[in-house]
Amino acid sequence: MSETIAPVVSRLYLSQLAPGAVQSEIRAMSLACDAMGGINLAQGICDTPVPAVVEEAAIAAIREGHNIYTRLDGIGRLRTAIAVKQERDYGLSYDPESEVLVASGATAGLHAAVMALLNPGDEVLLFEPFYGYHVATLKSMRVKPVFVPLADGDFALDVDALKAAVTAKTRAIILNTPANPSGKVFTLAETEAVAEVCLEHDLFLFTDEIYEYFVYDRQRHIAPATLPEMRERTIVISGFSKTFSVTGWRLGYVTAPAQWMGAMSYFHDLTYVCAASALQHGAAAGLEQLPPSFYTQIAADHQSKRERIVSALRDAGMTPSVPAGAYYVLADAANLPGATAAEKARELLKATGVAAVAGSAFFSKGRGENLLRFCFAKKDVDLDEACARLRQLR
């Protein structure tokens, strides 16, 4: 009698996460744009000039030998400069020795915070339209994102919808203000409503404030940690990519109470070891030496860029939602050929050489298919050329 041989099952296979992980539509459009030599308004590259003091300090740091590992939470000079900045701008006091983490980009700051503070199966509320990397970071930790849609058109917060989204598994809310991709700046009343939900249900608040200086039309950025009883539960995440036009440096930071910071620093060290040493000196110099007028000029310059792209989109028959902050515009693409937003983005690229991102990348399934996102943080010559090309659609 012959023996039955069990089939061989390979132990070589992808993780449970991998099959659902796809290249972001932002990166995909950047690649498609590069392939045809187009103008990239898809990715928030921010290719405006780097402040001279930041650039020169980083170069000097390399030459002075600042090329080895730093402390896991960053160099003391930069941690101190960040603490001074938070006190100056918002009256928030953080100890640079125990409450500031220099991260390898704001994305790494969120990654470390999620690893340190959340568990698989926890739920986190995000406002829709959302930034895809927030969602992907949560999913990579087996944390469930729960979307709270903002109102169509003006992106107003529906407080009742926010409250209804809270369950026994909810552990945190992510608040991105000014927001990518909508440019929404949460008002004081809306921020207070978010804080009230956090306090009522004992939730963490993760804030992405990287566009804090990109505010227009006399709008004001509200730092949620400044609200009563919120500092102890707010994990403030920001960085220098946008403010200093150094997106490729991957340099961000986290400020948070000391009781949470130790674990976050550990997980950042585990994944990234430390942020680039010499580049930290460049950012520190910027924080120390750039005057207040530098930050107000950022807003003025980008408001001018906003007006140009908004005008061009209107002329092209793509009605824009005028952003109050950040440097993106969501525009109506219903008149473009294509059944989906991704198809519309590729048709636009083919017709004009201008790359945008499918609006569906920022919404839950089935939404955003008639929207495209455009980035206007570009050199004037490139932005003006993109606007001219878009007007060809008339």
Side-chain angles (χ1 to χ4, degrees):
M1 182 176 181
S2 61
E3 294 183 6
T4 301
I5 301 176
V8 176
V9 178
S10 174
R11 291 182 176 274
L12 307 179
Y13 50 81
L14 293 170
S15 72
Q16 293 174 350
L17 286 175
V22 296
Q23 181 183 45
S24 79
E25 191 63 13
I26 297 172
R27 294 291 188 273
M29 286 306 299
S30 289
L31 290 174
C33 183
D34 288 347
M36 69 174 298
I39 301 175
N40 190 355
L41 303 191
Q43 191 171 354
I45 292 173
C46 191
D47 62 2
T48 49
V50 179
V53 64
V54 174
E55 188 176 83
E56 290 164 6
I59 294 169
I62 292 172
R63 291 172 175 163
E64 291 165 6
H66 296 289
N67 303 306
I68 62 174
Y69 298 138
T70 72
R71 231 174 75 162
L72 82 168
D73 53 359
I75 63 172
R77 178 187 179 190
L78 182 51
R79 284 184 282 107
T80 297
I82 292 167
V84 169
K85 172 250 184 251
Q86 293 292 72
E87 180 74 46
R88 177 198 71 204
D89 288 354
Y90 308 115
L92 289 167
S93 178
Y94 292 100
D95 182 350
E97 283 298 305
S98 60
E99 296 184 315
V100 179
L101 165 66
V102 179
S104 295
T107 300
L110 177 62
H111 186 270
V114 173
M115 288 188 78
L117 302 176
L118 302 179
N119 295 314
D122 286 345
E123 295 179 357
V124 174
L125 308 186
L126 302 94
F127 299 103
E128 183 181 21
F130 49 75
Y131 176 49
Y133 276 57
H134 293 160
V135 175
T137 296
L138 295 175
K139 288 183 175 179
S140 74
M141 310 287 178
R142 276 76 168 182
V143 174
K144 180 182 178 182
V146 176
F147 305 122
V148 179
L150 299 174
D152 291 336
D154 63 357
F155 304 110
L157 172 64
D158 184 335
V159 178
D160 290 335
L162 172 60
K163 292 179 178 179
V166 178
T167 73
K169 294 183 177 181
T170 307
R171 292 285 315 287
I173 297 173
I174 293 180
L175 178 60
N176 176 205
T177 182
N180 176 6
S182 65
K184 176 180 175 57
V185 176
F186 279 71
T187 66
L188 176 59
E190 289 174 326
T191 309
E192 287 175 335
V194 173
E196 181 181 339
V197 171
C198 288
L199 292 169
E200 180 181 352
H201 296 280
D202 198 23
L203 308 177
F204 281 113
L205 180 63
F206 298 148
T207 68
D208 181 343
E209 302 178 46
I210 201 162
Y211 299 101
E212 61 189 320
Y213 298 117
F214 296 82
V215 287
Y216 316 121
D217 304 322
R218 299 182 181 179
Q219 293 279 340
R220 182 168 67 97
H221 169 60
I222 306 297
T226 62
L227 299 182
E229 302 180 69
M230 286 303 294
R231 184 192 181 280
E232 66 192 48
R233 66 182 62 248
T234 301
I235 313 302
V236 181
I237 301 165
S238 192
F240 307 103
S241 290
K242 320 301 183 182
T243 306
F244 294 158
S245 301
V246 289
T247 54
W249 285 19
R250 309 312 308 134
L251 202 58
Y253 64 84
V254 182
T255 57
Q259 69 189 107
W260 316 124
M261 187 57 76
M264 283 188 281
S265 296
Y266 168 79
F267 283 114
H268 184 269
D269 173 50
L270 180 67
T271 311
Y272 304 96
V273 181
C274 66
S277 176
L279 304 186
Q280 292 188 50
H281 288 269
L287 288 180
E288 293 163 352
Q289 299 177 41
L290 289 169
S293 60
F294 169 80
Y295 300 96
T296 55
Q297 191 62 48
I298 286 175
D301 289 345
H302 283 80
Q303 183 161 337
S304 172
K305 294 175 189 291
R306 180 195 70 171
E307 297 311 311
R308 276 134 65 196
I309 188 69
V310 162
S311 175
L313 288 167
R314 285 177 176 148
D315 289 346
M318 302 175 65
T319 303
S321 175
V322 181
Y327 52 53
Y328 307 98
V329 178
L330 284 174
D332 184 354
N335 292 331
L336 292 179
T340 66
E343 291 177 6
K344 293 173 186 292
R346 284 157 179 79
E347 289 295 329
L348 179 68
L349 179 61
K350 184 190 305 181
T352 66
V354 176
V357 181
S360 53
F362 310 102
F363 290 86
S364 50
K365 189 172 183 180
R367 301 192 65 207
E369 295 294 1
N370 278 320
L371 293 173
L372 294 180
R373 190 200 74 173
F374 296 83
C375 171
F376 55 85
K378 306 294 291 183
K379 296 173 184 174
D380 286 340
V381 64
D382 293 331
L383 181 62
D384 290 340
E385 175 62 21
C387 289
R389 294 186 185 188
L390 288 171
R391 287 189 169 96
Q392 294 173 4
L393 293 173
R394 285 181 292 189

